[in-house]
Amino acid sequence: MRVYISIDMEGVAGVATMDQVSRGGHGYPRSQRLMTAEANAAIEGAFAAGADSVLVNDSHGTMDNLLHEELDPRARLIFGTPKLDCMAEGISAEHDVAMFLGYHAAAGSPGVLAHTYSSHFYEVRLNGRPVSEAEVNALQAAAVGVPVGLLTGDDVICGVAEKAFPGVRAVAVKVAHGHTAADSLSPAEARRLIREAAAETVRGAAELTPLQMPEVLELEIDMPSTPAAELGAQIPGVRRIADKTLAATFATPTEVLGCVTVCYHLAADAMISRMALYGRR
């Protein structure tokens, strides 16, 4: 039994503010410890239920957040960015089940720190429907035949997962009270629930089925500014369908994630340039 874990930070218990999820923030080092501890809870539960291997992909921001020396030594870790498959880096047909930990709701949703890949994207849509990172990453898992068996985060993304992923176990470690406010379980209780759910997921993995893969993936991204959209339109195959909206048609989730990753960096660069102008006196 091979387990794949993709872990983000915004959906971790005890985390709700920008200061906590941004490198350099006063609360960020504590969030690293909380994130690492939730990863360890899932790893422990997976091995307790008979997993042979666990691969963890650090999926938040710069993707080097987990504290390596504190991570369960039985697991392997993928970290750093950019990665072609972004938050789904490393998943393969060798894996039996995927777990998405610390996830959050989509851009435009009422969840805690809700966004889709970049806080600079106003919305990301697939086949005309707004999507979360969890849904896109689940398609990448499905492309190699792997089902999503566990998702943890706030109540909003857990509700999405329960509707979207057949047989998924969703562990809501907090309830959204706004974009940067939450009613959270204690980290210790959240870890207990995650540990138990991970074990149950491994035991029931054979009964899970991957998402059904659409024949075509029509991606649309609402960029943060006109210059960002102009830059994105230079990507081969990408069309600019509105002042700030890019669109492209892809056959695989890997192609979608590659485009999202490039647009992520273009959006960030465009916003950094704009903020430098705002700072002038």
Side-chain angles (χ1 to χ4, degrees):
M1 172 66 64
R2 294 174 179 263
V3 176
Y4 175 85
I5 294 175
S6 170
I7 183 165
D8 207 345
M9 184 180 280
E10 287 88 351
V12 168
V15 174
T17 70
M18 289 300 298
D19 176 74
Q20 290 178 289
V21 298
S22 302
R23 187 174 297 278
H26 294 296
Y28 173 74
R30 184 169 67 90
S31 296
Q32 288 182 281
R33 294 193 296 273
L34 294 173
M35 180 183 180
T36 304
E38 288 200 4
N40 282 338
I43 295 166
E44 182 180 337
F47 278 114
D52 299 303
S53 68
V54 175
L55 177 65
V56 180
N57 181 32
D58 190 327
S59 299
H60 174 68
T62 54
M63 300 186 177
D64 60 347
N65 310 277
L66 291 168
L67 301 174
H68 297 199
E69 67 277 14
E70 296 181 14
L71 195 68
D72 190 313
R74 294 173 292 180
R76 292 189 64 85
L77 174 65
I78 298 175
F79 63 99
T81 189
K83 296 180 285 201
L84 178 61
D85 289 326
C86 197
M87 297 175 72
E89 184 74 18
I91 198 166
S92 74
E94 294 182 351
H95 292 106
D96 298 287
V97 67
M99 302 180 184
F100 293 166
L101 308 180
Y103 268 53
H104 53 79
S109 297
V112 176
L113 295 166
H115 64 280
T116 305
Y117 293 104
S118 169
S119 59
H120 301 311
F121 294 159
Y122 288 115
E123 191 171 80
V124 175
R125 295 175 293 279
L126 269 182
N127 296 339
R129 186 177 64 84
V131 289
S132 66
E133 297 166 2
E135 292 163 282
V136 179
N137 296 335
L139 286 176
Q140 176 63 329
V144 292
V146 180
V148 178
L150 173 63
L151 180 139
T152 74
D154 71 8
D155 60 313
V156 179
I157 190 59
C158 284
V160 170
E162 288 172 337
K163 293 178 181 178
F165 308 152
V168 73
R169 287 174 172 79
V171 178
V173 302
K174 56 192 170 189
V175 175
H177 278 222
H179 187 71
T180 53
D183 175 351
S184 177
L185 295 176
S186 74
E189 176 64 6
R191 292 168 205 157
R192 183 186 69 81
L193 294 175
I194 291 169
R195 188 179 303 109
E196 292 177 355
E200 292 169 359
T201 298
V202 168
R203 295 189 189 104
E207 301 172 7
L208 297 169
T209 56
L211 289 184
Q212 186 172 0
M213 183 64 59
E215 292 184 6
V216 175
L217 296 167
E218 297 280 356
L219 173 68
E220 293 181 6
I221 301 176
D222 293 336
M223 299 290 275
S225 66
T226 299
E230 290 173 342
L231 288 172
Q234 305 307 308
I235 302 170
V238 173
R239 313 180 305 277
R240 186 175 169 208
I241 61 173
D243 182 52
K244 299 176 184 176
T245 302
L246 301 175
T249 303
F250 298 109
T252 69
T254 291
E255 294 171 343
V256 170
L257 288 169
C259 184
V260 166
T261 299
V262 173
C263 289
Y264 174 102
H265 289 283
L266 292 176
D269 287 346
M271 292 305 292
I272 289 171
S273 298
R274 175 172 287 191
M275 292 306 296
L277 292 175
Y278 289 161
R280 289 182 179 178
R281 293 290 187 270

